Structures are given as structure tokens and as C-alpha cells.
Amino acid sequence: MAQSTTHGAVQRILKVSLALTAMYIAATFYFGLRAHSLALLSEAGHNLSDFAALALSFVAVWLQGRKPSDKRTFGYQRAGVLAGFVNALSLMVLAGWIGIEAIGRFLHPVTVEPHLMMAVAAAGVLMNGLIATLLWKFSGDVNIRSVFVHMLGDTVSTAAVIVGGFVIQLTHMQWIDPVLSLIISALILWSSYGIVRETLHILLEGTPRSIDLDEIRTAMQKAPGVINVHDLHVWSLTSQSHALACHVQVTEMTLAECEAVLARLNHEVRDHFGIHHTTIQLEVTDCATVDGCCSPPEPMVIDGHSHHHHGPGGHSHDHGHAHAH
């Protein structure tokens, strides 16, 4: 219930942000042409990419709300990660375009109208600042964070345009406009690189940066009866949801004892490492060491699965099951 409420709130914020951004794009493009300001025109282009980013994030949030199916057993959780990756990648391309245009302005200076620059940029600071503030609450999700970075970058860069317009008005130095564009371009590149890196890491099934596999292995091996943990994999479904799969060799024990070990291991990774989706395979041997003192021809294998979900009232439940092959 709480999750659906969050989805609804995010969708409403994104709808408002889309409407405000569309109006601002029209204003910056029109007045940028009138003022002959590359800084304003680059803002229009940047905000056009923001509009696309907001739209893509909106679709991703909608997809994430859909339930899993036999064809999409994890649902559409990765939709937000993919949206964040595309958004940040498009920003890097845009930053390159703005930089090339700014260099052209150094070679062929154009007179700009500082009063118009400052007025339109002031409106942008208010609008982008408002949207960034609304999105900040939900920026733990990498999809929303990619849009938040867009809007925060816009707020800072439009504030720079105001300062630039003021300096141009005082000094009549026209080169300030393309310098501002280069600063905006560098800001966009810097802010988007981190998101490209994070989302690509998730899409390539990398181990979450907050997770230390050695720590998990050590913690699991402290459970009674566990000899060693191997074939250990941890990956991210989203920036906030992780999964684990591994093989655990244990001493010979009854099925009930195996259930107890599974419960202990699931508790360990869930409560200490925040991993709620686990697949743990127990390999039962009658040997207490792993240096080849004995090797049963047919070791018993136990599979344990833990799936985290929300029951009535938003309470969390984990289920571990064991069966012998």
C-alpha cells in the first residue's frame, strides 16, 4: 500500500514537472533568439532534454508499478535503471554540443541582450528549483535521481546566466556568454557521468558498491554447521533492491536442521546487509572439512529460497523452504 502511494506521488510530481518544463522551454527558446543569447538557447536545449528525461522517468515509474508475470518474473524493476542510464547518456551528448557551439561563439562573437537574459533565467531558477525540491524526497531511486540531477544542474546553470547577464551589462564583454555555456556544459558532464557509471554497473549485474562479498561470506560461515560458502553472487535489481545466490556446504544434518540453517542465513543477509531476495543451495556432506578428507559420491543438496514481499498492512515476510534431492 505504501509503495503504491509512493508511486502515485512520484507520478503526480513528474506530471507537474513536465507541464512547467514545457512552458519554460518555449520561453527560453523564444527569448534566447530575441536576445541572441547562446546561454539561453543552450538552456532551452538542456530543458528540452529535461522534458524527455522527465517523460522517460514517468514511463519508467509507471512500468515499475506493474506486477510481475510469467514473462517478467521480476516485473519491470529495471525500467527505472534503464531510464536513468538513457537520461544521463543523452545529457553527456548535449553537453558536447553546447561546448562545440560555445567555442564557435569565441571565434565569431555575437552581441547579446543582458536584460532579457537575466529575466528569463530568473524564471528558470524558480521553476527548476521548485521541481528539484519536489523530486529530492524520492532521489534514493536512481531513475528519479537522474531527473533530480537534471533539474538541480538547471537551477545552478540558470543562476550562472543571471550573473553573466549582470556582468555583461556592466562590462559589455560579450565573451562571458560562451564562457557561461562552457561552464554549464562541464556541469552537465560532471553530474551525468556518475549516473551513467552507476546505472551501467547495475545493468551489467555488478556487485552493489555498498556490498562487500567477503563480509557476507564471513558472516554466513559463522552459522552453526556451515563449512564454507562458494559460488556467491550479489547483484542489483534496482539501485535499492538487491538479490543473492550462493552454494553453502554444511556438515551432515537432518532436514529440520537444514531448515534452521537456512533461516539463520536468510536472517543474516536480510537484517545485516539489506538483501531480501535470496536463493541459497545447501550442499550436505558427512565431512567437517573441505580438504578432501572424504567425498561422498552423491552429496545431498538442499535448495532454499527467500522472497521478500509486503503482506496486509505493509508488513514484511520472508519465507525459506528446503527440500532434499
Side-chain angles (χ1 to χ4, degrees):
M1 188 71 178
Q3 191 174 13
S4 61
T5 303
T6 300
H7 266 87
V10 171
Q11 285 182 316
R12 283 192 298 273
I13 289 171
L14 289 173
K15 283 179 183 177
V16 172
S17 302
L18 280 166
L20 290 172
T21 303
M23 289 188 289
Y24 186 67
I25 288 169
T28 50
F29 182 73
Y30 174 74
F31 290 112
L33 288 176
R34 283 194 59 182
H36 304 293
S37 170
L38 179 61
L40 275 183
L41 290 174
S42 67
E43 277 301 294
H46 187 186
N47 278 276
L48 186 62
S49 77
D50 284 348
F51 184 85
L54 286 163
L56 187 59
S57 292
F58 179 80
V59 172
V61 169
W62 174 74
L63 283 173
Q64 283 178 303
R66 297 182 66 182
K67 294 180 180 179
S69 65
D70 287 345
K71 289 187 177 180
R72 298 281 187 274
T73 54
F74 281 113
Y76 291 82
Q77 294 186 60
R78 283 278 176 85
V81 178
L82 190 58
F85 175 72
V86 173
N87 282 342
L89 207 59
S90 66
L91 266 179
M92 296 181 80
V93 173
L94 180 68
W97 174 79
I98 292 173
I100 291 169
E101 288 294 311
I103 292 169
R105 278 288 178 100
F106 280 117
L107 301 174
H108 307 285
V110 176
T111 303
V112 300
E113 173 51 59
H115 295 286
L116 206 51
M117 262 179 79
M118 292 164 65
V120 178
V125 169
L126 291 174
M127 184 205 72
N128 292 319
L130 174 63
I131 295 174
T133 302
L134 292 172
L135 291 171
W136 179 77
K137 181 181 176 183
F138 305 100
S139 61
D141 179 270
V142 72
N143 173 30
I144 303 303
R145 185 158 73 251
S146 70
V147 185
F148 169 73
V149 168
H150 269 267
M151 307 318 294
L152 185 63
D154 281 353
T155 304
V156 175
S157 59
T158 44
V161 170
I162 295 174
V163 175
F166 181 70
V167 175
I168 289 172
Q169 187 177 1
L170 290 178
T171 65
H172 303 289
M173 294 178 182
Q174 303 301 326
W175 54 264
I176 290 171
D177 184 61
V179 166
L180 282 174
S181 296
L182 284 175
I183 293 171
I184 292 170
S185 175
L187 182 68
I188 296 169
L189 272 176
W190 174 77
S191 61
S192 54
Y193 171 74
I195 294 173
V196 167
R197 185 181 171 193
E198 179 181 354
T199 51
L200 192 60
H201 188 73
I202 293 172
L203 292 171
L204 292 177
E205 306 283 351
T207 302
R209 300 188 190 283
S210 60
I211 298 291
D212 186 322
L213 286 188
D214 286 335
E215 282 186 22
I216 293 179
R217 188 180 289 108
T218 300
M220 293 178 76
Q221 287 178 172
K222 287 180 180 177
V226 172
I227 299 172
N228 85 326
V229 177
H230 57 278
D231 210 8
L232 174 62
H233 305 277
V234 180
W235 67 99
S236 298
L237 303 173
T238 70
S239 56
Q240 297 173 301
S241 174
H242 309 310
L244 174 148
C246 69
H247 289 204
V248 177
Q249 187 178 6
V250 296
T251 56
E252 189 171 7
M253 59 180 67
T254 65
L255 194 60
E257 289 171 328
C258 283
E259 289 274 14
V261 170
L262 274 177
R264 167 71 181 267
L265 294 175
N266 282 320
H267 161 76
E268 191 69 39
V269 298
R270 181 188 66 237
D271 294 353
H272 295 162
F273 299 96
I275 302 171
H276 296 282
H277 185 98
T278 62
T279 301
I280 299 173
Q281 180 171 296
L282 297 187
E283 299 172 347
V284 180
T285 176
D286 57 5
C287 176
T289 65
V290 289
D291 57 5
C293 69
C294 64
S295 53
E298 294 289 338
M300 182 169 68
V301 177
I302 309 293
D303 287 331
H305 304 277
S306 169
H307 303 281
H308 177 69
H309 65 89
H310 295 283
H315 297 293
S316 301
H317 304 278
D318 283 280
H319 304 284
H321 306 287
H323 54 276
H325 302 283

